[in-house]
Amino acid sequence: MPSHGDHRGTEYRFEQPSRTHPYDLGESCSLGDEGDNTPGEGHTPAKQNVFRTRFSQVLANLAIHLLVLDLCMSFAFTTIVIAALLDAEVAEGKDELSINNNEASWLGSIAYICQPVGSVMSGAIVEFFGRKWSMIIVNAPFLLGWVLYSVSNSLTMLYITNVILGIGIGFMEAPIMTYIAETCQPDLRALLTSLPGIMVQMSFFVVYLMGNVTTWRIAAGISASLPVITALYVTQMPETPIWLLSRGRTEDAERALCWLRGWVTPDVVKEEFNQLVTYNNATSKRNPVTSPMVQFSSLSRNQEDQGDKENYINNEFHSNATERGMRAVSTTPTLADSDSSHCNLEIWREMLRPPTLRPLMLVLPYFLIQQLAGMASIRPFMVHVFRELGLDDAAEWTTVGSAVIGIVGAACLVSTVTWLGKRFLSLVSLAGNGASCLLLGIYSYVVLRPGGADQLSATWLPLSLIIVLSFCSSVMFEIPWMMLSEVFPFRTRGMASGFSAAMCYIFLFVASKTYLDMEESLNLHGVFFLFAAVNAIGFIFVYYRMPRMEGRSLVEIEEYFSGQNKRGFLKK
């Protein structure tokens, strides 16, 4: 998931210029002035209803959150399937399945290694079919996957199902990342891009709850309704205006903008629409296939070099406003990225230069540490692990409780990242993860070994530690995705963030695939000691390598990683 600068916490130092960026949707009718919009001389300023303006955008972007819910439910579903099938006793004459540890490790990880395949195709689908139809099309692999899950009667079918769902996960990335950026006003992006992190944890809760109240096949059948509901819902939503303009569909673009601004008449959005047209014409002359979203999130260094100070400050201000509300604008390379970046040897060389290589050496180790820190590795096998910790019959419901704690953790991240910062929250999460894993390792060694302490009287201890581990992991979950759109320079942002996202799923595949083998080799306590060591290394890495980026513009962050200016990036 899906799912992708600090979307709530960045404060910008520039004063707002007199004119607005041509692609900053809604900036000209900021809600701060209750929607006053002046189309031109001789016109009476049109009034926009603040509630309707907000409500229409919330309705449109609810489709994104339905997609995120579907995406992450497929992530979590292997947990309840493996819990039911791992070393299950098969009654004679019944159509049931049983899998061993090796088969379970493939079932729990194969979807992750297939994700980059879908991700590569996702950008082309979004550019060719548009944002709206892409969000409809990407439901097809999920519907097929859920149906196959519900009728699977062999291990081969389960593998095929997870391959399809893995590709579907990759398909979803580009639509999710573009639609919010291209339909929302800046003051709403912060809120709407915060919610997917909570939806991720909500999806875990829904799946784990269904796994406790019904069988996994019935749960899959119920889940099959979600892509159908999502596709039907998206049909009622508008396409993004900037994409319609890029295809020459001016009237459709104007109607879509009117819908997104509260079902208003064209005169209300006339100025904003004219800015979009101007921007589209300008970008079409520069590069006919350039993705408007990617161009909009840019910082024009050429303008600065040429001395056009007004344009430079204007683009910087509005680029920051957008980045504040977006986790990963360009996490998946689009068709434009393929033409303007991937086929350009110079851009590939830029990846090895300090402005890109240094932030890459921050993001990639962070992803690796995150996937090896504990929760990501054990997620497909949570019920098995909880049973090994002595929770027995309570293991299934403990997964539900861990998902509830995850929702709380994600909400805490959204509400505190502005003033605490990603660096501080990372350090606290790594410390909490490390301490809980260390204590779980000690508990496993002392209590669960033969001749250990009374296991029943100590059950509260692993339960408490699981709560801490779930909370800290959920806080840390979103942080690297938030960094993707602010640490890389614009010239390589699409390529670098797309590469980082793909590597994240590869790390997740390795972590999930090797967990049961590690448990067999190191025993349960050894695995938790290893997780504790990884968190300790991660704490040291973040302390010395990750700067506090809140309150810094994209230019200042780029200069920091280039080594030109490190003042103000205090690591505290």
Side-chain angles (χ1 to χ4, degrees), residues 81 85 90 94-99 107 145-161 216-217 220:
V81 175
L85 302 184
V90 181
K94 289 190 176 181
D95 183 21
E96 294 293 340
L97 296 174
S98 179
I99 59 177
L107 186 60
W146 290 125
V147 171
L148 288 178
Y149 251 139
S150 65
V151 299
S152 291
N153 55 13
S154 69
L155 183 61
T156 301
M157 285 191 68
L158 290 176
Y159 286 156
I160 293 173
T161 299
W216 61 272
R217 284 192 176 93

Side-chain angles (χ1 to χ4, degrees), residues 312-372:
Y312 169 70
I313 293 177
N314 185 44
N315 282 351
E316 171 66 7
F317 177 87
H318 289 292
S319 177
N320 284 335
T322 303
E323 295 291 347
R324 176 183 58 196
M326 297 170 63
R327 286 180 303 164
V329 173
S330 306
T331 299
T332 303
T334 63
L335 182 62
D337 291 317
S338 299
D339 291 337
S340 63
S341 298
H342 289 68
C343 297
N344 190 330
L345 182 60
E346 182 60 28
I347 300 299
W348 283 101
R349 291 173 180 168
E350 287 283 344
M351 292 280 287
L352 300 177
R353 293 171 182 165
T356 302
L357 186 61
R358 287 175 179 170
L360 202 61
M361 290 300 100
L362 167 64
V363 173
L364 291 185
Y366 197 110
F367 271 128
L368 179 61
I369 291 164
Q370 183 189 63
Q371 306 310 334
L372 298 178

